Every structure is written in structure tokens, then in C-alpha cells.
Amino acid sequence: MSNLDIHAAVTELGSWQDETYQWLHQHPELSMSETETCNFIEKQLQDFGYQTEIIGGGVVGILRNGTGKTTLFRADMDGLPVREETGLPYASTITRRDRDGNEVPVMHACGHDVHITAGLGAARVLAAHRDSWSGTHIALFQPGEETAEGAKSMVAAGLVDKIPRPDVAFGQHVLTGPMPTGAVGTHVGAILSTGASLKITLHGKGSHGSMPHMGIDPVVLASTIVMRLQTIVSREIDPFQMAVVTVGSVQAGTKSNIIPERATLLVNIRAYDVAVREHLLTAIKRIVNAECVAAGSPKPAEFELYDSYPLTANDPQVTKKVTEAFLAHFGAERVGDCGEVPASEDFSTIPDAFGIPYCYWGLGGFRDDDPKFPNHNPKFAPVMQPTLATGIEAVLAAVMAWLGKSEQE
């Protein structure tokens, strides 16, 4: 057991928790444009006594405190182009310009403001209680999680060579379910799915709507592809494996009496196994190419892979140790197995770049009797307390399992 009274130390943070969270919630920024957020975080870390550096659009704070292990906690920073409808007194009214120059509303609709507050809160407690631990703690705040760019950007900017090599990495995510606020959930192995999106451009031959025989209709082609793609999961994937293929967008044409030249499909996939992911991608391309041949397309379809997320698979030994730390701190009634979550993350890109094990866990954000709105919903609004305190305490419990002086004796 750690000799740091985690609950008391977090209680000492007082109103700082809510004030920090509310500022972040009111100032969301779009992916890979988190300049204001970075400045806020860096100033806080410097005030706590951390050595800081901006790397690949993210902020890294390093606190060295004698000999021992090195831990890394990562929090994501970006908001979403969503107009907030929570009605909260601290609701976001911010608009920002996206990459296409459009003015869009922005909201922390996925809880990244909770993650930042937890990472900063844990960093502050560790700085204030150096007599309770020994080693090095790295507080990492990553951009661009929502577009799967941020972790890659930090690694490409030399993260591995610029900071101490951690022994272990941690991450967490506030969730609508399956745990109520005040609870945490771990899971051994795959906890978040691998995911990717495909933009598929189909080519036809334009014609008048009254003369379909003189054209090649990409709308009909797109329709046959959409239906055929549904057979991949139902007829090609082992029923005991999880796989999802979603066509989220079909775009073609401008008028009812014009057969257009092209159609575009946006397809998303999810899986808990890398081999299944590759099967899905291969099958999608096979089906699209075959249907294009069958339709007599004038040229092959074009495929663009984007928003590609790795599998998040927790190390068994690290997860066991984190779970034991959670049980010791929170008690069995507040710790559970959150199971596999079908959402995707790019967190694992960072520990994978270092070749180190990691544990990623879920954090409950809603009371049992509260209306439930999922992540990315305009009404997504985790309960501030005890969600924030629990998130900070969870980070500290995990970190102290490696850095606590009593752990090293």
C-alpha cells in the first residue's frame, strides 16, 4: 500500500477541480488545433514544478523525484464540432474555424476535459507530496485523438527520444456506462476496438434520367455495394468474433433527372482483433471492385483509408496490479470489469512506440438515475463530482502502485 493518503490529497485540491474542468469545458478546441488548451496546461504544469515541452502539438510535463520507476499518464485534449445542448451554466458557446475554413460550434462532447483535469490533478498532487514517492512521473496531454492523428504526431515529432522511457503507461476514459459515477472499471486484454474509416469513390457515366441506357449509374452501384457489404460480418466473420461494418454516408448526384458521374461512400469498421480488421478491409475492397466490374464502371474505385485506430489491449500483469490498487483504494463496490468497449482510441500508439506495457480503464460519469446521453451527443454532460475526484484518485492509485515508497521497499 502507498503511504500517500490519496483521498485526503485530492480533497485538498478543493474548488480547483471544478474550476479547472469548467474552464476547459468552456474553451474546447478542434483536433490538432489545441493551442489555447496547450498553453493552459503548460502553465499549470510549470506552476506545479514540472519541466515542460510541446511535442507534436501535445504537452509533456516531467517531474523527477529521485530514483525509481517512471510512469506516464496520457490525457487527450480535443473537442468535437458539436453544438452543446446541455443547458449547463458553463456550457460551451465557442465556435472555431475547421480545416476547410468553416465556422463550426465546438464542444467537449467526449469527456476529454475530464481527462485533462484528472491528469493535471494527479500531477499537482504528486508535486505537492514528493515525500510519498520516488521516481519520475510524466504527465502527457495529447492532441487529435478524435481524428487518430495526435499520438502519431507526437511520436513522429521525436517523443521517444525527447522524454525518459516510461516503465508503464496509463490512460482512462469517462463513459456513460456501464459504471455509475464514482466507479472505475478495468479489463484484461482488448478493451477498445481497432477501427478505421474508408472513403470510397465510385465512378459511373453521367446521363439524362430519361436515358439510363446511355449511362452507368453510380447510385445503383453504390446501393448494391451497401447491401453486399452487410454480408461480410454475417457470412465471413466467425460468430464468436466481434466485427462491425457501417456505411455512414452515401453521397451522389444533384437532381432527380441526372445520372451522376460518381458516388462516394464513407465506411467505418471495428474489431477486437487485428486479423479481423484486415479481413474486413480486404473484403470491402474485394466486394467494391467486383461490383464495379459487374456494373461496367469506366475506371476502378478509389480507396482512402483515414481515422485509423490501433487495438487497445491491456497488459495482463499491469492490469492486475492496477486493479489491485483500485480495490485497495476504492473498495470492491466501486471497482468492476468494464468489459470490451466498441469505441476506438489512439492511446496505445504511445506505449507501443516505447515498447512498454499499459493499462487503460473506464471511469463512470453518470448517476444511475440520470438521463443517459452517449459520448459525442450534444447533451453529453458527466456529473462533475464525484467524477472528477474519482478520475484523479484513479490516476494516483495506479501511479503510486509503481512509484509509492512503500511499494519499493
Side-chain angles (χ1 to χ4, degrees):
M1 289 292 294
S2 163
N3 59 355
L4 172 65
D5 187 336
I6 292 174
H7 178 72
V10 173
T11 301
E12 289 172 3
L13 295 175
S15 62
W16 175 90
Q17 300 174 59
D18 292 5
E19 291 167 0
T20 299
Y21 170 75
Q22 289 180 36
W23 188 91
L24 290 164
H25 191 82
Q26 289 181 311
H27 298 82
E29 294 179 286
L30 294 170
S31 304
M32 304 307 296
S33 301
E34 301 94 331
T35 306
E36 193 176 346
T37 307
C38 281
N39 292 338
F40 176 85
I41 293 169
E42 186 172 35
K43 175 65 165 58
Q44 293 258 337
L45 290 171
Q46 289 173 352
D47 288 346
F48 302 159
Y50 282 70
Q51 171 193 346
T52 64
E53 186 172 356
I54 303 295
I55 302 175
V59 186
V60 178
I62 302 169
L63 186 64
R64 294 178 173 86
N65 189 39
T67 60
K69 300 291 186 181
T70 298
T71 57
L72 182 151
F73 177 77
R74 170 272 201 180
D76 37 13
M77 301 187 295
D78 47 337
L80 287 159
V82 173
R83 187 179 304 280
E84 182 161 354
E85 298 176 4
T86 63
L88 292 167
Y90 53 87
S92 169
T93 58
I94 288 283
T95 61
R96 310 276 190 186
R97 291 209 176 272
D98 65 15
R99 298 181 195 188
D100 297 323
N102 301 313
E103 192 82 11
V104 297
V106 187
M107 173 193 176
H108 269 300
C110 201
H112 296 185
D113 43 359
V114 174
H115 309 161
I116 298 169
T117 305
L120 283 174
R124 180 173 176 174
V125 168
L126 290 170
H129 295 270
R130 300 188 193 205
D131 58 338
S132 300
W133 62 280
S134 181
T136 298
H137 179 62
I138 301 168
L140 186 148
F141 300 86
Q142 178 208 304
E145 183 277 329
E146 296 291 355
T147 55
E149 297 173 278
K152 294 175 185 175
S153 173
M154 295 189 77
V155 171
L159 178 71
V160 172
D161 298 321
K162 292 181 178 181
I163 68 172
R165 184 178 186 273
D167 293 288
V168 64
F170 306 116
Q172 71 177 350
H173 207 298
V174 63
L175 301 171
T176 306
M179 306 154 300
T181 182
V184 293
T186 58
H187 185 74
V188 172
I191 184 171
L192 297 175
S193 69
T194 177
S197 292
L198 278 168
K199 179 181 179 181
I200 305 172
T201 302
L202 308 171
H203 297 281
K205 179 182 177 183
S207 182
H208 195 287
S210 67
M211 308 173 193
H213 62 293
M214 298 186 69
I216 296 173
D217 195 337
V219 176
V220 175
L221 172 58
S223 300
T224 61
I225 289 172
V226 170
M227 296 307 296
R228 180 69 180 177
L229 292 181
Q230 308 312 305
T231 66
I232 298 174
V233 174
S234 67
R235 289 297 177 267
E236 297 188 34
I237 303 299
D238 185 329
F240 290 98
Q241 292 275 14
M242 175 271 198
V244 175
V245 176
T246 299
V247 181
S249 174
V250 181
Q251 299 179 19
T254 57
K255 288 191 68 178
S256 63
N257 65 344
I258 300 175
I259 293 174
E261 290 277 316
R262 64 182 56 82
T264 302
L265 304 178
L266 300 182
V267 184
N268 183 258
I269 64 166
R270 308 280 170 158
Y272 289 130
D273 185 282
V274 175
V276 173
R277 167 198 164 102
E278 294 309 308
H279 184 114
L280 295 177
L281 291 173
T282 300
I284 290 169
K285 291 179 181 179
R286 184 192 75 233
I287 288 170
V288 169
N289 288 331
E291 291 291 347
C292 287
V293 171
S297 294
K299 58 181 178 179
E302 297 163 15
F303 300 88
E304 177 189 342
L305 184 70
Y306 65 100
D307 286 1
S308 182
Y309 289 91
L311 182 69
T312 305
N314 284 334
D315 179 83
Q317 286 73 39
V318 170
T319 304
K320 180 176 182 291
K321 190 170 181 177
V322 169
T323 304
E324 289 172 349
F326 286 171
L327 288 167
H329 175 69
F330 293 113
E333 68 279 2
R334 295 175 62 188
V335 181
D337 188 326
C338 67
E340 295 172 334
V341 180
S344 302
E345 255 271 20
D346 65 348
F347 157 76
S348 63
T349 299
I350 291 172
D352 285 350
F354 284 100
I356 60 172
Y358 60 83
C359 179
Y360 189 95
W361 61 84
L363 170 69
F366 295 81
R367 301 185 187 95
D368 284 335
D369 57 350
D370 285 339
K372 302 297 190 298
F373 297 102
N375 302 65
H376 292 211
N377 186 284
K379 291 184 171 66
F380 180 80
V383 179
M384 272 201 294
Q385 294 295 355
T387 304
L388 296 177
T390 303
I392 298 170
E393 290 178 26
V395 177
L396 288 168
V399 166
M400 291 300 287
W402 271 259
L403 301 185
K405 286 186 176 179
S406 58
E407 303 293 337
Q408 302 175 31
E409 294 171 356

